[in-house]
Amino acid sequence: MDSTVTTPRNVERVIQGQATSDGAGVRMTRLLAQDLQRRLDPFLMLDLFGTDNPGDYIGGFPDHPHRGFETVTYMLQGRMRHRDSVGNNGLLVPGSVQWMTAGRGVIHSEMPEQEEGAMEGFQLWLNLPGRDKMCEPWYRDIAAAEVPEWQGEGVVARVIAGASHGVQGAVQREATAPLYLDLHLQPGATFAQPLPAAHNAFVVVYRGELAVGDTGVRTRRMAILANSPGSDGIVLRAGPEGARAILVAGQPLKEPIAQYGPFVMNTNQEIFQAVEDFNAGRMA
Ligand code: FE
């Protein structure tokens, strides 16, 4: 399998993110907010939570609904318990992934299962095409050992979704073709990933520093990668201390986005319906 990249993309913009709190007072950095939903279609939101202070996470995310998209939670440190109205119950531990397709509706809670220590990870929202927004909910816990990996020179790549260097990831999606990699790079190591120019892509560094072309990207920053016509992929180079980062990419849906909090549909009418269905108890 050929993983050569000859015309890599450059960084279009580096995003610092907004400090925010969600659920019952969980503090986090929102790197992908509503203003970037069109630019980063099919991705709707990305939160990075990372703290040693229990006061920042102990409240967790009590029962709340979702409709119309998928949530992907990737834990780096800490333990979080998931329970939902479909009867799923799972424990997220370091290195594990929870992939939940809310479809027509799920009510769930995500609560810390620890009273001290670090809690760190990402939650990504991936849109569903209009034809799938009302599908049956789907859920999968992917244990750390079940996330496929490959190792190269100074590189470990964990393939959560999509495919990288011939390794198929844990999850595939046809409409949005998501790529979700967790990259562990030794000092100075280089990583290349072929990618269609039309797919929207971003990198978030969570340890150390890396460079994309001649743009440096520091810890807790998100770099949006330009969709340069004629480009054939992405090349990253770790800084002198090495780097850990996620690389996320996907095929844009190019559909209207109507959002009201945890409901993401195509039209306002569908949003009114979602609120009505939730209030009438039709999402449980
Ligand atoms: Fe949720």
Side-chain angles (χ1 to χ4, degrees):
M1 138 123 224
D2 185 12
S3 298
T4 315
V5 173
T6 55
T7 313
R9 300 183 185 204
N10 291 315
V11 171
E12 176 178 300
R13 196 176 153 196
V14 176
I15 305 287
Q16 197 173 331
Q18 287 287 330
T20 183
S21 100
D22 212 336
V26 179
R27 292 161 67 109
M28 53 180 63
T29 302
R30 185 149 294 167
L31 290 158
L32 195 179
Q34 258 177 321
D35 60 329
L36 288 172
Q37 284 179 341
R38 294 247 58 105
R39 174 62 191 87
L40 294 176
D41 178 14
F43 303 103
L44 299 164
M45 196 189 77
L46 178 70
D47 286 335
L48 167 58
F49 48 95
T51 175
D52 295 332
N53 174 9
D56 288 345
Y57 63 72
I58 205 75
F61 302 89
D63 273 346
H64 59 278
H66 293 288
R67 173 179 279 184
F69 60 100
E70 306 188 83
T71 66
V72 183
T73 308
Y74 182 41
M75 288 299 279
L76 299 169
Q77 299 188 79
R79 294 153 64 87
M80 192 83 104
R81 172 75 60 182
H82 165 102
R83 285 194 176 85
D84 70 32
S85 54
V86 188
N88 298 303
N89 181 341
L91 185 63
L92 278 145
V93 300
S96 72
V97 179
Q98 183 210 70
W99 198 293
M100 185 182 85
T101 306
R104 64 180 161 71
V106 164
I107 296 171
H108 75 158
S109 62
E110 299 151 296
M111 301 299 289
E113 200 150 287
Q114 64 187 32
E115 282 163 14
E116 52 182 24
M119 183 74 81
E120 184 183 22
F122 291 98
Q123 187 170 82
L124 178 69
W125 288 12
L126 169 62
N127 210 353
L128 286 167
R131 64 170 185 274
D132 294 337
K133 282 182 177 291
M134 295 295 279
C135 71
E136 285 295 312
W138 183 88
Y139 169 93
R140 189 176 157 199
D141 276 318
I142 304 155
E146 290 170 19
V147 177
E149 283 185 10
W150 62 262
Q151 297 193 18
E153 216 172 308
V155 178
V156 176
R158 311 191 76 222
V159 190
I160 295 166
S164 179
H165 292 237
V167 174
Q168 291 292 308
V171 173
Q172 311 294 332
R173 285 287 178 270
E174 202 176 326
T176 49
L179 173 74
Y180 192 153
L181 306 179
D182 178 20
L183 303 169
H184 301 185
L185 307 174
Q186 294 295 316
T190 296
F191 165 83
Q193 175 70 38
L195 195 69
H199 287 203
N200 292 326
F202 57 87
V203 174
V204 179
V205 179
Y206 66 89
R207 294 284 187 281
E209 191 170 343
L210 55 74
V212 183
D214 46 20
T215 306
V217 188
R218 290 188 290 146
T219 302
R220 300 178 81 83
R221 296 288 192 278
M222 173 170 80
I224 298 178
L225 300 161
N227 297 71
S228 319
S231 66
D232 61 353
I234 290 159
V235 176
L236 309 175
R237 176 183 291 273
E241 284 158 26
R244 292 191 178 197
I246 58 167
L247 168 61
V248 177
Q251 176 165 274
L253 290 167
K254 298 180 175 161
E255 293 182 4
I257 298 169
Q259 177 173 9
Y260 178 72
F263 309 131
V264 184
M265 305 299 288
N266 294 121
T267 67
N268 286 334
Q269 184 50 47
E270 291 167 334
I271 290 293
F272 297 141
Q273 189 64 53
V275 172
E276 207 175 289
D277 287 350
F278 173 62
N279 288 336
R282 286 191 293 263
M283 265 184 207

